[in-house]
Amino acid sequence: MIKCQDLIEKIEERYPRIYACDWDNVGLLAGDREQKVETVYIALDATDAVVEKALSAGADLLLTHHPMIFGSIKSVTMDDYVGERLIRLIRGNVSYYAMHTNYDVMGMAELSASCLGLLDTFVLEEVFDGEGIGRVGRLSVSMTLKECAELVKKRFHLPNVKVFGDLNKIVRIAALSPGAGKSMAKPALMSGADVLITGDIDHHTGIDMEDCGMAVIDAGHYGIEHIFIEDMKVFLENHFPELVIHTAAISQPFTVL
C-alpha cells in the first residue's frame, strides 16, 4: 500500500523544499499524510476544472506546480474560490500537494534548457547552495531573434509568443526563466544574454530591456511551465509503477484573437 507520505518523501528527496523561495508555499497543503494513494492527478494549477477532473478520476492525490494557497487563510468557506476548491477536495477525500519553486530550481530550469537545446549552461539566479532559477546558455547556432522565437514555439508547442526587439537581431546567448520572468530581467542583463525567454513580461519591462540591448521572448506563464506535467508523470511512474496517473490536458488558459 502506498501512503501519501511515501510519495511526499520521494518527491522531496528529489526536489527538497529547502530550495523553495522564502515567499513560496510548497508541500502538503490539504489532506492526510497517512491516506492510501492509488490514483494521482497532475496539473499545473488547481483550477475549478482541474479539481473537478481530479474528483471525476477518483484521484486520491492532486499534484500541482502552482500552489492554490499562497497567503494566509482566515477561513475556509464556500464564499470564495480557494475555500470552495479546498472544501470540494476534502469532501472528496483528495489530498493536495504543490511543488513550486523547489521544482523550478531542481527540475524546471535544467529541463527547459534541455528542451531548448542550450549548451554550456549556468544558473541564472542562485537560490540556495549553487542551485537556482533559470539557466543561461549558448544556442546551438547563432540565429535571428525571429528564428529564436520560432524555435521556442516549436520546442514548447506554442501557438504564439510575444517578442520585444528587432526581429533581425542576431542572438547567441539566451537566458531562460520559465514562468513569470519580470524579476529575472536584471540577472539576465548581468549574465550577458542577448535574449531573455520567459513569461508575463509587461509593457514597460519589455521596452526597457530592449533599450538596454536585450531582446525578450514572452512565451507566457503557462507556455514553458506546462512541461512540469509530463515530467512529474514520468517521475511517479518510475518510482511507483503501480499508481494510476491522470494528467491535465496541455491547453493554453487563454485565447489570442
Side-chain angles (χ1 to χ4, degrees), residues 159-193:
N160 51 66
V161 294
K162 183 169 64 175
V163 182
F164 293 90
D166 179 357
L167 294 179
N168 294 315
K169 174 183 177 179
I170 299 299
V171 294
R172 299 174 179 83
I173 306 299
L176 176 60
S177 181
K182 180 179 179 178
S183 63
M184 293 296 106
K186 185 174 181 180
L189 279 171
M190 294 177 64
S191 75

Side-chain angles (χ1 to χ4, degrees), residues 222-239:
Y222 184 91
I224 298 175
E225 289 195 326
H226 67 75
I227 60 178
F228 162 85
I229 297 172
E230 181 63 23
D231 188 44
M232 286 309 300
K233 178 177 184 288
V234 172
F235 177 84
L236 292 181
E237 286 175 338
N238 287 340
H239 291 285

Side-chain angles (χ1 to χ4, degrees), residues 4 27-33 35 60-62 68-69 86 89-90 94-98:
C4 185
L28 185 66
L29 303 188
D32 182 1
R33 294 179 183 273
Q35 179 179 354
D60 306 297
L61 175 69
L62 171 60
M68 179 169 53
I69 305 170
L86 285 172
L89 288 172
I90 292 169
V94 181
S95 293
Y96 172 51
Y97 188 93

Side-chain angles (χ1 to χ4, degrees), residues 62-81:
L62 171 60
L63 175 66
T64 71
H65 180 47
H66 298 134
M68 179 169 53
I69 305 170
F70 262 115
S72 60
I73 295 181
K74 294 185 178 180
S75 63
V76 179
T77 71
M78 298 293 285
D79 295 336
D80 69 86
Y81 64 92

Side-chain angles (χ1 to χ4, degrees), residues 41-211:
Y41 194 90
I42 305 174
L44 201 70
D45 298 279
T47 63
D48 284 344
V50 163
V51 169
E52 186 56 40
K53 289 283 188 180
L55 291 168
S56 298
D60 306 297
L61 175 69
L62 171 60
L63 175 66
T64 71
H65 180 47
H66 298 134
M68 179 169 53
I69 305 170
F70 262 115
S72 60
I73 295 181
K74 294 185 178 180
S75 63
V76 179
T77 71
M78 298 293 285
D79 295 336
D80 69 86
Y81 64 92
V82 173
E84 189 266 344
R85 292 172 190 168
L86 285 172
I87 289 171
R88 287 165 64 196
L89 288 172
I90 292 169
R91 282 177 175 172
N93 200 33
V94 181
S95 293
Y96 172 51
Y97 188 93
M99 44 190 301
H100 189 206
T101 51
N102 55 323
Y103 177 82
D104 285 338
V105 170
M106 299 303 292
M108 186 82 77
E110 197 60 38
L111 178 61
S112 58
S114 177
C115 288
L116 197 58
L118 294 185
L119 305 172
D120 304 322
T121 60
F122 57 91
V123 171
L124 175 57
E125 183 173 68
E126 183 176 348
V127 170
F128 177 74
D129 195 27
E131 300 288 351
I133 301 291
R135 290 291 186 270
V136 180
R138 178 170 50 86
L139 292 162
S140 57
V141 295
S142 298
M143 60 185 72
T144 66
L145 178 58
K146 182 178 180 180
E147 290 170 333
C148 186
E150 293 294 341
L151 178 66
V152 171
K153 287 169 60 179
K154 178 181 178 181
R155 295 292 175 86
F156 296 102
H157 310 289
L158 304 176
N160 51 66
V161 294
K162 183 169 64 175
V163 182
F164 293 90
D166 179 357
L167 294 179
N168 294 315
K169 174 183 177 179
I170 299 299
V171 294
R172 299 174 179 83
I173 306 299
L176 176 60
S177 181
K182 180 179 179 178
S183 63
M184 293 296 106
K186 185 174 181 180
L189 279 171
M190 294 177 64
S191 75
D194 301 308
V195 58
L196 169 62
I197 303 165
T198 187
D200 292 356
I201 293 296
D202 62 89
H203 171 78
H204 294 288
T205 301
I207 61 175
D208 287 347
M209 291 305 97
E210 184 179 357
D211 283 346

